């Protein structure tokens, strides 16, 4: 009785619900397109309908990948170069995400761009990385996205589909009527079909087993002439006939089965147009599960050396066309012709598969019995550095393999994204802002090389950064790999950091990330660290992270430079000091902008003159004291008269020659939009922020009020103190992501230790 009551609660229209759900899902349209209709589509959209696997892969990547243009957040810092966001390709919708840092993303995009130039065709592309670098995850996700893309309207790629009209082959018009009874019986036996089915069959349908593009069925010697008359787009035709990207359209030939069939049918029908009318275009299927379009082999997977034979189709065609010239035999490599053939690791059986690919990679030809099978696939593979010894000595392979290095992550921001994926988004909230990022920096410091010629040439006087830079400049290199330009770099070194220098630094990364703490071990270490604070409601501080690494016995931690962690702590202290200063900073923006505008106008007049600024309407008495008051903010209170006059002269020249003559008069910018104004404003703000903490440093009453912020006692303090603390806590929360408790803790940490004195003069 209870079971009956329970079942009655379920909807009675389950079938209807399922039908509705299936109906709302995107449908895969695979109806064959008649050859001449397909040619009309080529005429309208040749770029879309003339694609092989390399063009498809290129389009797939740029369908998912987003290029982020660089921004100049701070006018005093170099512009951030463009980067590629691979998250839609390798993270979103993937069961096991692969997080690509900036360095790997650029390598991968360089590879993809080479597909347009065809410099990667007839090559084996090996993604080389140490165990634990995530390369298997990368390849799994990549092939998944290829499969998904080919199911989308934008991802259609077409193959040859034959639909042989039996009536057209036999002039009598009755299917198989030319066979006598004995022949029909033999045919039925071979095909294992009933007499009724035999008589009702109107056509023999099958796909080209090698997935040839339909355009290849046009005889090679007339292909260009037909396409020239078919496609109206002259610009595309120039590319089609002259660019290496489209060489295959005019050069490639159909498989032996299609060639034989075309030849025999031409002999029977006499006219090529009648043969072509039995050819259709059908969307190719990419299904890794069935090894069609995509085949991925693990080292332990058995090797299949036997050719595939479709006896049913071979017998049907031979009986129908009365010929012995059709052998429906092909290799397993045909399943991924114009598709993806991937080896998970080059060892065990995959090593044998690699050598089997030798002739195909070199010449694109594979022998199946006496038949030459032409194969054009995207060959991918994964390899550990130690496994290269098995094939590196083979000279013919040396110029046929393209290595794409897939090391451990070298971008600390990406490492944090991995932590958040494994431990949940909330893991970052267990740390004070910036502390989890420092955990990642320590991990990455074990992965980078300790000697960089380019870095040492750039920072010629590292002693001036002794509070921030380790001996081998590893920390600065790690920051650059994430394009995180530290504020403590001086103007001279910032000017040197151009695109050429950055490119040289990034080139050195090609040999990094193959040692140190692996990706898997990094996750394990963070898990062990978090277990130390199972029920701790307080956020984890930098001190806790430092103690963990200094007291641990991690074997790979030997790769962490000895002075790295103490100096990383210094940079953290500098960061939080700047955050507290900025959170205490409360100055009038309009007033600062007016001071800068008045100064830039006044420096063009002589001492003693009284002028009216066109930017503010203020009257200015031009004097040495007027200039000095502004220039001491820019250069510091200890600046000399000579330094101030030099600065004034440079500012005047820039104002007259660039700001006024070019940006204002030619480009019609307002003064506030000019480069010179923005730099002065940024510099002025920096000075004011540097001094914003002075009234509160050492102020015990302010610190007590800060610690009482959430207590009833807070109401007993004077209004100014309460207002300043509310302002401080609010800014730390809104600008830097602190919680209320975190804001109180970090502000107290800075004020109690008077950390601003630690960085005086910087």
């Amino acid at each position: 009785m209870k079971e009956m009551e329970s079942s009655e609660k379920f909807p009675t229209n389950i079938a209807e619900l399922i039908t509705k759900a299936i109906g709302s899902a995107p449908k895969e349209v695979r109806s064959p397109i008649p050859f001449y209709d397909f040619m009309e589509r080529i005429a309208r959209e040749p770029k879309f309908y003339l694609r092989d696997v390399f063009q498809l892969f290129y389009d797939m990547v740029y369908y998912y990948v987003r290029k982020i243009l660089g921004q100049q957040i701070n006018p005093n810092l170099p512009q951030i170069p463009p980067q590629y966001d691979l998250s839609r390709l390798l993270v979103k919708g993937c069961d096991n995400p692969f997080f690509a840092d900036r360095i790997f993303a650029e390598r991968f995009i360089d590879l993809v761009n080479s597909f347009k130039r065809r410099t990667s065709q007839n090559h084996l592309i090996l993604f080389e990385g140490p165990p634990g670098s995530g390369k298997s995850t990368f390849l799994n996700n990549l092939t998944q996205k290829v499969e998904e893309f080919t199911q989308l309207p934008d991802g259609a790629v077409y193959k040859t589909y034959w639909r042989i009209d039996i009536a057209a082959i036999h002039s009598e018009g009755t299917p198989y009527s030319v066979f006598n009874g004995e022949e029909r019986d033999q045919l039925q036996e071979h095909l294992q079909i009933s007499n009724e089915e035999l008589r009702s069959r109107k056509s023999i349908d099958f796909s080209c087993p090698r997935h040839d593009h339909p355009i290849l069925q046009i005889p090679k010697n007339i292909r260009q002439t037909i396409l020239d008359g078919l496609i109206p787009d002259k610009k595309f035709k120039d590319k089609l006939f002259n660019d290496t990207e489209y060489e295959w359209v005019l050069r490639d030939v159909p498989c032996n089965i299609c060639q034989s069939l075309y030849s025999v049918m031409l002999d029977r029908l006499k006219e090529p147009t009648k043969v072509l009318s039995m050819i259709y275009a059908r969307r190719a299927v990419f299904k890794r599960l069935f090894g069609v379009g995509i085949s991925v082999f693990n080292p332990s997977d058995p090797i299949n050396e036997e050719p595939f034979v479709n006896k049913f189709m071979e017998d049907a065609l031979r009986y129908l066309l009365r010929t012995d010239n059709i052998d429906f035999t092909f290799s397993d490599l045909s399943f991924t012709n114009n598709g993806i053939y991937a080896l998970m690791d080059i060892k065990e059986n995959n090593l044998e598969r690699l050598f089997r690919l030798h002739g195909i990679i070199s010449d694109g030809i594979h022998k199946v019995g006496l038949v030459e099978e032409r194969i054009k696939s995207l060959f991918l593979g994964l390899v550990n550095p130690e496994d290269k010894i098995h094939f590196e000595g083979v000279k013919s392979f040396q110029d046929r393999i393209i290595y794409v290095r897939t090391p451990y992550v070298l971008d600390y921001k990406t490492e944090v994204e991995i932590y958040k994926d494994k431990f949940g988004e909330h893991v970052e909230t267990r740390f004070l802002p910036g502390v989890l990022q420092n955990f990642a920096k320590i991990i990455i410091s074990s992965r980078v090389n300790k000697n960089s010629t380019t870095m040492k040439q750039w920072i010629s006087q590292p002693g001036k950064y002794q509070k921030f830079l380790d001996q081998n400049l590893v920390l600065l290199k790690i920051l650059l790999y994430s394009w995180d330009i530290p504020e403590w770099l001086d103007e001279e070194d910032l000017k040197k950091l151009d695109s050429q220098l950055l490119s040289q630094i990034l080139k050195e990364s090609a040999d990094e990330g193959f040692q140190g703490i692996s990706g898997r071990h990094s996750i394990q270490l963070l898990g062990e660290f978090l277990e130390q604070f199972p029920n701790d409601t307080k956020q984890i501080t930098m001190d806790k992270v430092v103690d963990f690494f200094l007291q641990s016995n991690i074997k790979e931690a030997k790769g962490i430079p000895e002075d790295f962690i103490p100096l990383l702590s210094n940079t953290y202290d500098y960061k939080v000091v700047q955050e507290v200063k900025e959170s205490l900073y409360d100055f009038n923006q309009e007033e600062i902008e007016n001071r800068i505008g008045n100064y830039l106008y006044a420096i063009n007049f002589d001492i003693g003159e009284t002028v009216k600024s066109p930017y503010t309407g203020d009257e200015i008495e031009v004097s040495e004291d007027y200039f000095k008051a502004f220039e001491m903010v820019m250069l510091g209170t200890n600046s000399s008269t000579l330094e101030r006059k030099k600065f004034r002269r440079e500012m005047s020249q820039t104002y007259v020659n660039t700001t006024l003559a070019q940006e204002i008069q030619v480009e019609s910018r307002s003064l506030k939009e000019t480069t010179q104004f923005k730099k002065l404003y940024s510099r002025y703000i920096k000075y004011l922020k540097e001094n914003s903490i002075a009234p509160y440093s050492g102020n015990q009453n302010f610190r007590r009020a800060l610690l009482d912020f959430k207590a009833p006692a807070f109401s007993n303090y004077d209004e100014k103190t309460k207002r300043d603390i509310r302002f401080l806590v609010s800014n730390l929360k809104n600008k830097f992501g602190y919680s209320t408790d975190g804001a109180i803790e970090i502000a107290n940490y800075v004020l109690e230790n008077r950390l601003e004195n630690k960085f005086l003069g910087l």
Side-chain angles (χ1 to χ4, degrees):
M1 189 68 180
K2 288 183 178 179
E3 289 182 4
M4 288 290 292
E5 290 175 357
S6 176
S7 64
E8 287 174 359
K9 295 178 182 178
F10 288 99
T12 56
N13 57 343
I14 294 178
E16 183 181 335
L17 291 174
I18 294 173
T19 302
K20 186 177 180 181
I22 294 174
S24 64
K27 293 179 175 60
E28 183 182 352
V29 180
R30 293 185 56 216
S31 300
I33 305 167
F35 184 81
Y36 297 114
D37 291 349
F38 185 69
M39 294 297 286
E40 288 181 5
R41 296 191 185 195
I42 290 177
R44 292 195 301 268
E45 296 181 77
K47 185 179 178 182
F48 179 78
Y49 286 99
L50 291 175
R51 290 197 295 190
D52 67 357
V53 65
F54 292 93
Q55 291 159 313
L56 175 75
F57 191 87
Y58 178 93
D59 292 342
M60 181 276 297
V61 169
Y62 278 99
Y63 176 85
Y64 289 109
V65 171
R66 185 167 60 100
K67 185 176 182 179
I68 304 172
L69 297 178
Q71 299 177 348
Q72 192 160 9
I73 300 172
N74 186 330
N76 295 316
L77 299 179
Q79 182 171 328
I80 299 174
Q83 63 175 314
Y84 295 93
D85 178 9
L86 272 58
S87 60
R88 288 185 66 226
L89 180 68
L90 301 171
V91 176
K92 294 178 181 176
C94 299
D95 293 336
N96 192 12
F98 177 87
F99 294 88
D101 62 16
R102 177 191 290 266
I103 295 171
F104 177 77
E106 290 189 4
R107 287 178 192 156
F108 178 70
I109 293 298
D110 285 344
L111 170 71
V112 173
N113 290 339
S114 73
F115 292 170
K116 281 284 187 183
R117 304 186 297 270
R118 292 292 155 151
T119 54
S120 301
Q121 192 171 327
N122 293 342
H123 284 79
L124 171 63
I125 299 163
L126 289 182
F127 294 90
E128 178 191 2
S133 60
K135 56 187 184 297
S136 297
T137 301
F138 161 75
L139 186 57
N140 283 327
N141 293 354
L142 187 64
T143 54
Q144 175 189 328
K145 289 298 180 179
V146 172
E147 186 172 326
E148 288 179 6
F149 181 67
T150 57
Q151 296 171 10
L152 300 173
D154 288 344
V157 63
Y158 291 88
K159 64 178 180 179
T160 298
Y161 185 83
W162 288 90
R163 179 167 285 173
I164 301 173
D165 188 333
I166 297 172
I169 297 294
H170 296 287
S171 56
E172 290 83 359
T174 304
Y176 292 110
S177 62
V178 296
F179 295 120
N180 58 36
E182 183 181 351
E183 288 175 326
R184 191 158 47 247
D185 292 342
Q186 290 176 352
L187 180 61
Q188 283 180 251
E189 183 180 348
H190 278 292
L191 301 185
Q192 297 180 349
I193 57 178
S194 66
N195 188 59
E196 182 181 351
E197 186 179 355
L198 177 62
R199 290 185 177 280
S200 63
R201 185 181 289 271
K202 302 297 182 183
S203 64
I204 296 179
D205 297 13
F206 66 93
S207 294
C208 167
R210 208 191 64 167
H211 312 295
D212 286 333
H213 192 282
I215 200 68
L216 301 186
Q217 306 306 331
I218 296 177
K220 187 175 177 180
N221 61 330
I222 62 171
R223 214 175 284 164
Q224 180 167 343
T225 303
I226 291 175
L227 289 171
D228 190 25
L230 178 71
I231 300 173
D233 188 338
K234 293 182 180 179
K235 186 176 179 181
F236 180 83
K237 280 196 294 188
D238 181 64
K239 190 172 185 180
L240 175 63
F241 299 146
N242 299 297
D243 199 308
T244 54
E245 181 185 352
Y246 288 95
E247 271 184 348
W248 68 273
V249 176
L250 304 178
R251 183 197 63 197
D252 288 3
V253 294
C255 73
N256 58 297
I257 298 172
C258 290
Q259 284 191 60
S260 301
L261 188 57
Y262 183 94
S263 178
V264 171
M265 290 180 63
L266 185 60
D267 290 341
R268 179 66 62 87
L269 300 173
K270 309 303 181 186
E271 295 181 27
T273 53
K274 289 184 178 180
V275 179
L276 292 175
S277 69
M278 298 189 190
I279 294 174
Y280 289 70
R282 191 175 190 181
R283 284 191 67 163
V285 176
F286 282 67
K287 294 285 187 183
R288 174 177 169 175
L289 179 65
F290 301 108
V292 178
I294 301 172
S295 285
V296 181
F297 295 96
N298 291 305
S300 59
D301 292 339
I303 295 176
N304 175 59
E305 295 182 348
E306 294 296 321
F308 289 82
V309 179
N310 190 329
K311 194 64 177 171
F312 177 96
M313 200 58 64
E314 183 177 293
D315 287 346
L317 293 172
R318 284 188 173 191
Y319 273 97
L320 175 64
L321 300 172
R322 293 182 175 276
T323 181
D324 292 330
N325 293 332
I326 297 175
D327 291 317
F328 222 98
T329 303
F330 50 95
S331 75
D332 60 327
L333 292 169
S334 292
F335 290 101
T336 52
N337 184 59
N338 215 19
I340 295 174
Y341 184 97
L343 304 177
M344 264 302 184
D345 277 303
I346 310 300
K347 60 178 68 172
E348 300 176 29
N349 288 342
N350 277 351
L351 188 60
E352 186 176 339
R353 287 189 177 94
L354 173 65
F355 285 109
R356 183 187 177 202
L357 294 176
H358 180 274
I360 300 169
I361 293 172
S362 299
D363 307 313
I365 295 174
H366 175 61
K367 206 80 168 178
V368 185
L370 297 177
V371 175
E372 282 192 350
E373 191 175 59
R374 294 186 175 273
I375 298 295
K376 181 183 68 175
S377 301
L378 176 52
F379 295 107
L380 304 177
L382 307 177
V383 64
N384 294 321
E386 62 271 18
D387 293 329
K388 291 164 63 178
I389 191 173
H390 300 302
F391 56 86
E392 268 190 322
V394 181
K395 290 185 178 180
S396 55
F397 267 141
Q398 290 173 0
D399 61 347
R400 290 293 181 180
I401 295 179
I402 296 173
Y403 291 101
V404 181
R405 310 212 89 185
T406 314
Y408 303 136
V409 167
L410 297 174
D411 177 351
Y412 77 85
K413 295 177 183 176
T414 304
E415 189 79 1
V416 169
E417 290 302 311
I418 295 172
Y419 296 156
K420 289 160 72 174
D421 175 66
K422 298 301 180 183
F423 294 94
E425 287 286 332
H426 68 280
V427 70
E428 193 170 9
T429 64
R430 296 190 61 183
F431 296 78
L432 285 174
V435 175
L436 181 59
Q437 285 73 9
N438 283 344
F439 187 101
K441 289 172 191 173
I442 295 172
I443 293 290
I444 291 171
S445 71
S446 71
R447 301 172 180 172
V448 301
N449 293 340
K450 306 307 178 282
N451 187 27
S452 170
T453 304
T454 305
M455 292 291 293
K456 290 180 179 178
Q457 288 175 346
W458 170 36
I459 307 295
S460 55
Q461 295 178 295
K464 58 186 173 183
Y465 304 122
Q466 60 181 336
K467 292 185 178 180
F468 304 120
L469 282 186
D470 54 282
Q471 183 179 351
N472 295 305
L473 311 181
V474 169
L475 176 56
L476 182 55
K477 187 196 291 190
I478 290 173
L479 294 175
L480 289 181
Y481 284 172
S482 301
W483 199 247
D484 187 0
I485 310 299
E487 293 182 4
W488 38 262
L489 282 176
D490 65 22
E491 195 169 343
E492 179 186 355
D493 289 328
L494 282 172
K495 286 179 179 178
K496 296 179 187 176
L497 188 59
D498 55 16
S499 58
Q500 184 178 358
L501 176 62
L502 182 62
S503 177
Q504 290 176 339
I505 293 170
L506 292 178
K507 277 183 182 178
E508 293 184 357
S509 70
D511 297 321
E512 297 181 318
F514 284 75
Q515 60 186 5
I517 300 171
S518 72
R520 280 194 289 265
H521 195 190
S522 173
I523 294 168
Q524 179 186 341
L525 287 174
L526 180 59
E528 292 174 1
F529 177 70
L530 293 173
E531 286 176 2
Q532 298 180 7
F533 315 98
N535 301 312
D536 201 336
T537 56
K538 293 185 67 175
Q539 289 179 297
I540 299 169
T541 64
M542 185 64 196
D543 290 342
K544 298 284 198 309
V545 172
V546 170
D547 291 343
F548 175 74
F549 281 100
L550 293 182
Q551 295 172 11
S552 64
N553 296 316
I554 307 167
K555 180 182 176 182
E556 293 85 351
K558 293 178 181 178
I560 301 172
E562 189 175 342
D563 56 348
F564 182 86
I565 294 178
L567 289 169
L568 179 64
S569 294
N570 267 4
T571 63
Y572 174 76
D573 285 350
Y574 180 81
K575 179 186 86 76
V576 296
V577 167
Q578 302 311 308
E579 290 173 348
V580 171
K581 285 180 176 180
E582 184 164 338
S583 297
L584 286 167
Y585 161 77
D586 185 18
F587 289 90
N588 187 289
Q589 180 179 342
E590 183 180 356
E591 183 181 346
I592 296 168
E593 290 174 345
N594 289 345
R595 288 179 188 177
I596 296 171
N598 288 345
Y599 174 80
L600 287 176
Y601 185 71
I603 55 177
N604 301 288
F605 296 92
D606 296 328
I607 300 292
E609 290 189 65
T610 300
V611 296
K612 186 174 183 179
S613 170
Y615 303 119
T616 64
D618 295 341
E619 280 197 357
I620 306 166
E621 292 184 9
V622 182
S623 65
E624 189 62 40
D625 287 341
Y626 172 79
F627 290 139
K628 182 179 179 180
F630 183 88
E631 290 158 359
M632 285 177 69
V633 173
M634 294 291 112
L635 303 174
T637 55
N638 296 324
S639 57
S640 65
T641 302
L642 185 64
E643 289 173 329
R644 292 196 298 274
K645 287 186 175 180
K646 180 184 177 184
F647 174 82
R648 194 181 311 164
R649 186 166 56 251
E650 290 175 352
M651 289 297 104
S652 178
Q653 290 173 351
T654 302
Y655 175 78
V656 172
N657 298 328
T658 304
T659 302
L660 187 61
Q662 179 63 33
E663 296 186 69
I664 293 178
Q665 295 181 351
V666 176
E667 299 174 13
S668 300
R669 297 189 193 183
S670 68
L671 178 66
K672 295 177 185 179
E673 294 173 329
T674 63
T675 303
Q676 184 181 25
F677 184 93
K678 289 178 180 178
K679 287 188 175 182
L680 286 173
Y681 182 83
S682 177
R683 202 163 171 177
Y684 204 107
I685 293 295
K686 183 178 179 182
Y687 169 81
L688 295 177
K689 288 178 182 176
E690 286 295 323
N691 292 278
S692 64
I693 202 170
Y696 308 101
S697 182
N699 186 330
Q700 296 301 318
N701 183 64
F702 186 84
R703 278 192 56 234
R704 282 195 297 271
L706 177 67
L707 295 173
D708 286 338
F709 180 70
K710 295 176 70 177
F714 183 72
S715 61
N716 298 328
Y717 294 92
D718 63 90
E719 289 304 317
K720 182 181 184 308
T721 298
K722 289 190 291 185
R723 184 179 66 249
D724 290 348
I725 288 176
R726 290 192 187 103
F727 185 75
L728 168 64
V729 171
S730 176
N731 280 338
L732 284 170
K733 291 170 64 177
N734 297 330
K735 291 183 177 181
F736 303 107
Y738 287 90
S739 63
T740 300
D741 289 337
I744 294 169
E745 181 166 358
I746 206 65
N748 182 59
Y749 171 68
V750 169
L751 296 173
E752 180 183 17
N753 295 288
R754 305 192 72 169
L755 290 182
E756 75 281 1
N757 295 332
K758 189 176 180 180
F759 305 105
L760 288 175
L762 295 177

